[in-house]
Amino acid sequence: MIRLIASDMDGTLLNAQGQMSERTVREIKKVQENGVIFAVCTGRIYSSARTEPEKHGIHCSYLCNSGAQIFDESGKLLRSIPLERETAYWIMKELKKYRVPLEIQAEDSYYVTYTFRDVVKKCYYRWRNKRLSGYLKRILFQYLPGKKNQSGADKPIRLRKPEDVFLYSNEIYKISSSGISPKKVTELKKYFQSTGKVTAVSSFSDNVEITDIRAQKGPSLAWYAEHLGISPDEVMAVGDSDNDLSMIQWDFGYTVAMGNAMDCIKEAAKYRTLDNTEDGVAVFMEQHIPVSAGMAD
């Protein structure tokens, strides 16, 4: 029996336009009405993650910043694993050697060193991997006037130097770089993982995301399930990318790979479902959660 569902967002819960389909929204509301806890498990910050679900009237839990923060359905912060200040400085210094742009995620804000040229490169890599549509809208609107982007989320704060982030925030949860060659991504992940200080994963083939070694989706989801009194075999985790691997490899009862998932996810998952463009999350819930199909006692 599934009592807790944790779904990745981009490439999983959201379709190619970066939106939740009517079928997905309907299915989530059904399972919630029958007592199943639904959680979005994402690399995004809290304000960005909650925009799309709340637009459809869905109030759920959130594991944000790749598991570095956990919020319950009321928005209460239950757990927080920021990078140590010295570690954050070290990551910035190391990434500077590779001459890559940075995106820094703090309490609930984005800070970036990207130029418009960097964004064009990011869009190019997304286009090559057929993952551009929803992403293009979200990113390009960051460069138009106003405090909010099209989705309603706050626009990032631009930094002249990465270390200037500490003028705004004391807690850094994730440091990323996107729009870089897959070869460089592999080099960066291998290097940072080898240090044993942090974890380095990817949500796209052109990016690397670095967090505290404890701040991973798998361990964070396991902690949240225990906090709720839910056993691992009652947990469903679904994802598509490398940054989902820790929760897909965890010994949860239902680990699900999207049809559009990376090979590492498909190999590790116990189950597979359809692509995100075919409502794969909703389809799996319909098939494996009786109450969601109108079969509750």
Side-chain angles (χ1 to χ4, degrees), residues 62-282:
Y62 292 89
L63 284 71
C64 299
N65 291 307
S66 300
Q69 288 181 303
I70 301 177
F71 297 85
D72 67 12
E73 294 178 0
S74 70
K76 179 182 178 181
L77 179 62
L78 301 178
R79 194 183 193 217
S80 175
I81 310 175
L83 287 160
E84 292 184 0
R85 192 183 185 96
E86 295 77 11
T87 302
Y89 270 121
W90 168 74
I91 294 170
M92 295 174 197
K93 180 181 177 181
E94 293 303 300
L95 286 174
K96 189 175 181 179
K97 296 177 183 177
Y98 285 85
R99 298 183 179 181
V100 295
L102 301 185
E103 179 178 290
I104 303 167
Q105 295 178 205
E107 287 100 329
D108 203 23
S109 299
Y110 288 108
Y111 300 86
V112 299
T113 64
Y114 289 111
T115 64
F116 189 76
R117 181 180 179 181
D118 294 324
V119 172
V120 171
K121 289 173 66 178
K122 291 169 72 174
C123 290
Y124 168 71
Y125 282 113
R126 297 296 196 271
W127 171 76
R128 284 187 61 185
N129 288 279
K130 301 179 181 179
R131 302 183 70 169
L132 179 61
S133 182
Y135 174 84
L136 182 60
K137 290 181 182 178
R138 182 156 54 92
I139 291 299
L140 291 186
F141 267 83
Q142 294 178 356
Y143 286 82
L144 297 181
K147 295 182 179 179
K148 305 282 184 179
N149 64 22
Q150 191 185 41
S151 68
D154 290 330
K155 292 190 176 185
I157 296 171
R158 304 199 179 284
L159 303 171
R160 292 183 62 187
K161 298 181 295 182
E163 54 269 27
D164 286 347
V165 68
F166 291 109
L167 298 175
Y168 301 91
S169 177
N170 289 319
E171 292 192 337
I172 305 302
Y173 290 94
K174 184 167 76 169
I175 300 176
S176 309
S177 184
S178 300
I180 54 181
S181 70
K183 180 180 179 180
K184 187 168 288 187
V185 168
T186 300
E187 289 178 18
L188 287 168
K189 286 165 62 176
K190 183 177 181 180
Y191 169 68
F192 282 107
Q193 292 282 25
S194 69
T195 67
K197 296 181 180 180
V198 295
T199 184
V201 297
S202 299
S203 54
F204 298 95
S205 62
D206 71 313
N207 89 320
V208 60
E209 305 172 358
I210 304 165
T211 60
D212 184 282
I213 199 163
R214 300 165 297 162
Q216 300 181 59
K217 291 185 178 183
S220 293
L221 180 56
W223 181 93
Y224 188 45
E226 184 177 2
H227 172 79
L228 295 171
I230 294 174
S231 64
D233 62 304
E234 297 174 312
V235 177
M236 167 185 158
V238 55
D240 74 307
S241 299
D242 178 51
N243 72 342
D244 301 312
L245 187 58
S246 63
M247 69 175 181
I248 299 300
Q249 289 180 326
W250 206 270
D251 192 24
F252 296 126
Y254 299 79
T255 54
V256 188
M258 297 297 293
N260 53 289
M262 293 180 177
D263 289 341
C264 63
I265 299 296
K266 291 180 178 178
E267 292 169 3
K270 297 176 182 177
Y271 299 90
R272 291 191 189 183
T273 188
L274 302 180
D275 288 10
N276 64 318
T277 58
E278 302 172 298
D279 301 324
V281 175

Side-chain angles (χ1 to χ4, degrees), residues 42-55:
T42 177
R44 299 191 189 194
I45 60 175
Y46 183 53
S47 61
S48 175
R50 62 190 286 199
T51 300
E52 180 67 13
E54 291 190 357
K55 181 175 75 175

